[in-house]
């Protein structure tokens, strides 16, 4: 075997330092038979490199919703269809990859809802709690509409659903501009409903959802976006100026994947 050139040897050493870490997804792979992951099988994830940072700097990929898929495809060792991963798992992976790439500390600038003053807060991403799915979790969850009092069956969104909604929103904006009412919430509800009452035909479901009360429509939106498992991204905050306490969803800004480099003293 020929000896490697010094350059190739150097590159290989760099690649060998990209240690893959074992990750157990919050869903426990309970609905991933079609992408080749068995229940509770861990996947392996590495930190990002400059190649992934380039992806995050490409506006075309960001707008199309492809950026996150490309990050996952690059950083996950297993060859899986990342578009079929549940959104709740993708969120967990997003935070995990950020943590192993840049560290657990995430600095954000926040505004107090009481005194309206801005301040910087450093969030320890390792402190965020998470839950795993129960054994009974499936892609066909039964519930009841609180106003109509009829049963319905739904599933949680996956990466492909979010991309399709993003594509639909862009197409509608391009065609109709600001004159168009945003119906992506309704489209999302239709997409995630498997059955309402005795009706499972997609066209029938669409007509039913368009005639639901806002109470039932909002209920569908809430249950499909708030699974009982996954990463809890709500954080408790206290204003250093007026001492007001409140809770909010952790914001994702440019510092999340492009953190400021602190000067060494």
């Amino acid at each position: 075997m020929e000896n490697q050139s010094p350059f190739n040897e150097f590159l290989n050493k760099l690649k060998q330092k990209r240690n893959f870490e074992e990750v157990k997804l919050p869903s426990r792979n309970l609905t991933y038979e079609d992408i080749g992951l068995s229940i509770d099988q861990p996947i392996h994830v590495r930190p990002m490199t400059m190649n992934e940072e380039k992806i995050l700097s490409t506006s075309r990929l960001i707008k199309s919703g492809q950026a996150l898929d490309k990050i996952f495809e690059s950083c996950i060792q297993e060859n899986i269809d990342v578009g079929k991963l549940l959104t709740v798992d993708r969120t967990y992976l997003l935070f995990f990859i950020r943590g192993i790439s840049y560290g657990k500390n995430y600095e954000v600038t926040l505004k107090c809802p009481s005194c309206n003053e801005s301040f910087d807060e450093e969030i320890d991403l390792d402190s965020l709690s998470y839950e795993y799915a129960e054994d009974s979790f499936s892609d066909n969850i039964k519930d009841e509409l609180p106003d109509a009092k009829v049963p319905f069956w739904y599933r949680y969104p996956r990466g492909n659903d979010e991309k399709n909604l993003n594509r639909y929103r862009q197409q509608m904006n391009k065609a109709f501009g600001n004159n168009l009412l945003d119906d992506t919430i309704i489209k999302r509800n239709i997409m995630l409903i498997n059955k309402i009452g005795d009706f499972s035909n997609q066209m029938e479901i669409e007509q039913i959802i368009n005639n639901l009360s806002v109470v039932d429509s909002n209920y569908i939106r809430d249950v499909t976006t708030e699974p009982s498992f996954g990463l809890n991204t709500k954080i408790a905050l206290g204003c250093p100026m007026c001492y007001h306490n409140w809770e909010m969803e952790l914001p994702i800004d440019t510092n999340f994947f492009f953190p400021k480099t602190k000067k060494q003293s």
Side-chain angles (χ1 to χ4, degrees):
M1 182 182 294
E2 293 184 4
N3 291 331
Q4 289 185 329
S5 69
F7 176 73
N8 287 334
E9 187 177 348
F10 179 75
L11 280 182
N12 285 332
K13 284 182 180 179
L14 284 179
K15 291 177 181 179
Q16 287 169 8
K17 289 185 177 181
R18 300 179 197 166
N19 294 325
F20 282 87
E21 299 198 25
E22 197 170 89
V23 181
K24 181 179 176 181
L25 297 174
S27 72
R28 299 174 49 211
N29 309 339
L30 289 169
T31 60
Y32 290 162
E33 299 88 350
D34 59 337
I35 60 174
L37 292 179
S38 57
I39 295 174
D40 290 328
Q41 174 189 341
I43 61 173
H44 300 84
V45 181
R46 67 162 173 81
M48 295 196 308
T49 66
M50 283 302 299
N51 285 327
E52 285 75 54
E53 279 204 343
K54 288 179 191 174
I55 294 171
L56 292 169
S57 302
T58 306
S59 59
R60 173 180 55 82
L61 296 176
I62 298 291
K63 289 179 181 178
S64 67
Q66 297 179 65
L68 203 53
D69 277 2
K70 290 188 175 295
I71 297 297
F72 291 153
E73 287 166 358
S74 295
C75 294
I76 296 174
Q77 189 175 45
E78 286 75 12
N79 183 22
I80 58 176
D81 185 346
V82 296
K84 291 185 177 180
L85 291 175
L86 292 164
T87 299
V88 63
D89 283 338
R90 289 164 63 92
T91 299
Y92 181 82
L93 280 171
L94 177 71
F95 278 77
F96 187 88
I97 290 173
R98 196 278 181 192
I100 63 174
S101 299
Y102 299 108
K104 65 178 184 177
N105 295 324
Y106 170 39
E107 189 174 295
V108 291
T109 300
L110 303 168
K111 181 174 286 189
C112 175
S114 178
C115 69
N116 216 34
E117 290 291 332
S118 296
F119 62 96
D120 291 332
E121 183 81 8
E122 191 168 81
I123 309 297
D124 180 357
L125 296 180
D126 285 350
S127 68
L128 300 177
S129 62
Y130 58 90
E131 299 288 340
Y132 289 114
E134 297 182 356
D135 291 341
S136 58
F137 170 63
S138 75
D139 240 0
N140 196 36
I141 306 162
K142 184 180 180 181
D143 204 335
E144 182 178 84
L145 295 173
D147 190 28
K149 304 298 182 186
V150 296
F152 72 103
W153 291 259
Y154 67 93
R155 63 179 178 85
Y156 290 130
R158 300 187 181 230
N160 288 336
D161 296 318
E162 305 298 348
K163 281 193 298 183
N164 289 337
L165 278 175
N166 185 51
R167 189 180 302 115
Y168 172 80
R169 185 184 294 111
Q170 288 183 341
Q171 289 172 345
M172 293 299 101
N173 285 339
K174 186 176 181 180
F176 301 101
N178 296 329
N179 296 321
L180 180 70
L181 293 175
D182 189 355
D183 65 345
T184 49
I185 291 177
I186 294 175
K187 286 291 182 184
R188 188 178 184 279
N189 286 351
I190 294 168
M191 184 183 295
L192 300 177
I193 296 299
N194 297 327
K195 185 178 177 182
I196 298 181
D198 296 325
F199 307 99
S200 57
N201 177 276
Q202 196 71 22
M203 292 182 65
E204 293 173 335
I205 288 175
E206 181 171 359
Q207 291 186 56
I208 292 170
I209 286 181
N210 278 307
N211 284 280
L212 289 178
S213 68
V214 291
V215 172
D216 285 342
S217 181
N218 289 340
Y219 184 76
I220 293 173
R221 178 201 62 197
D222 291 343
V223 296
T224 55
T225 54
E226 297 177 2
S228 59
F229 59 92
L231 187 69
N232 180 13
T233 53
K234 287 185 178 178
I235 53 173
L237 297 163
C239 176
M241 269 70 79
C242 71
Y243 306 109
H244 174 70
N245 296 312
W246 79 102
E247 192 177 71
M248 66 177 289
E249 283 288 336
L250 180 63
I252 304 296
D253 62 18
T254 54
N255 281 345
F256 190 78
F257 274 126
F258 299 98
K260 299 174 183 176
T261 302
K262 295 184 177 180
K263 295 181 178 179
Q264 298 294 325
S265 58

